[in-house]
Amino acid sequence: MASGQFISFEGIDGSGKSTQARALAQRLGAMGAEVVLTREPGGSPGAEEIRSLLLTGDPGRWSAETEILLFTAARRDHLERVIEPALARGQTVITDRFADSTRVYQGATRGDLRDVVDRLHGLMIGREPELTFIIDMDPAVALNRGLARKSGEDRFEDFGLGFQETLRHGFLALARSQSDRCIIIDGNRPEAEVAAEIAAQVQARMSQVV
Ligand code: ADP
Ligand code: TYD
């Protein structure tokens, strides 16, 4: 059976992931691809309920260990109910965040929990995107962009600038260690310029998307 392509967007809060995921979905859709645009945490009804537990409230509400379990539970539901069925239908799935976010946010910021994240991922998820765009940018600019939205889901933004700097380095290290699927994109540029680079990368690597 044909299997669709799986693309993720990653990066620090406010780096432009949602904007670029939407732009790519529109561009591929206009070219005739069947695209499912989704996000994490969330993307399925059950996972959206878990999302609100994770993103609202006090920054100290959950330990990093509890977060790993909650994010993985949400991801499993999203994978079973949305991502895998769409890929099996041959559709292209574009997700705003996936497992790399857990590797970096939970695995590398509050003690070294990367091994726990990887083991749980192997047990419960066991799937990587074919292509991951890591949007890199200055955390001070990104944080202002993100907080300006006042979404009410700012639990991670509320950890502050130092936390975002650690995340940035975590994403860059991850991109270097998984360079077969990860592409670093400079997000400090106008939206259209970033979108054009991403579209060119998809077309160069994935001729079967459309
Ligand atoms: P993320 O999903 O990474 O948190 P968003 O795509 O929601 O980021 O973008 C955060 C904010 O920054 C939004 O208000 C968006 O309109 C704006 N934005 C996104 N990309 C750019 C860009 N390249 N230049 C300037 N502002 C941008
Ligand atoms: P998102 O809505 O993408 O936030 P933003 O638009 O600010 O980038 O994601 C919500 C928050 O959840 C974000 O701060 C990152 C965090 N997160 C994790 O800590 N671990 C994860 O596994 C995922 C998917 C997200």
Side-chain angles (χ1 to χ4, degrees):
M1 189 195 270
S3 177
Q5 301 293 318
F6 185 21
I7 301 172
S8 64
F9 282 81
E10 298 280 0
I12 61 175
D13 301 280
S15 55
K17 297 174 304 299
S18 315
T19 304
Q20 294 302 329
R22 213 178 311 120
L24 182 64
Q26 274 166 6
R27 190 178 292 235
L28 295 179
M31 291 166 71
E34 281 193 54
V35 180
V36 173
L37 175 62
T38 187
R39 68 161 182 187
E40 290 205 352
S44 63
E48 289 287 333
E49 287 190 39
I50 299 173
R51 176 184 175 98
S52 65
L53 291 175
L54 280 160
L55 301 189
T56 60
D58 192 77
R61 183 179 188 184
W62 309 109
S63 70
E65 288 83 350
T66 310
E67 281 173 13
I68 293 169
L69 293 167
L70 288 170
F71 279 114
T72 306
R75 180 162 306 124
R76 174 75 195 206
D77 192 65
H78 185 210
L79 192 67
E80 282 176 5
R81 291 168 195 262
V82 175
I83 297 175
E84 283 182 337
L87 293 174
R89 289 191 294 269
Q91 294 173 321
T92 296
V93 174
I94 299 178
T95 186
D96 179 355
R97 296 193 185 278
F98 192 65
D100 294 325
S101 283
T102 316
R103 293 186 174 107
V104 174
Y105 280 75
Q106 282 68 46
T109 54
R110 284 162 290 169
D112 184 6
L113 292 171
R114 179 60 193 276
D115 185 49
V116 174
V117 171
D118 285 343
R119 283 193 285 159
L120 197 58
H121 179 82
L123 271 175
M124 287 295 153
I125 309 297
R127 172 154 211 156
E128 303 297 344
E130 276 86 44
L131 193 54
T132 296
F133 291 106
I134 295 186
I135 306 191
D136 179 51
M137 66 172 298
D138 177 356
V141 179
L143 196 62
N144 283 335
R145 279 188 191 172
L147 288 175
R149 283 176 304 183
K150 299 208 186 321
S151 64
E153 291 185 329
D154 297 332
R155 194 173 149 253
F156 287 90
E157 279 100 329
D158 289 345
F159 279 105
L161 188 58
F163 183 75
Q164 299 292 329
E165 299 272 6
T166 305
L167 293 172
R168 180 190 197 184
H169 291 293
F171 276 117
L172 291 175
L174 186 85
R176 282 191 290 272
S177 72
Q178 309 219 2
S179 56
D180 51 329
R181 71 174 169 89
C182 293
I183 299 176
I184 298 171
I185 300 287
D186 176 6
N188 289 294
R189 294 176 294 164
E191 276 176 37
E193 207 176 297
V194 177
E197 185 187 347
I198 289 170
Q201 290 282 3
V202 169
Q203 284 185 320
R205 294 189 173 226
M206 295 184 154
S207 52
Q208 66 276 46
V209 167
V210 280

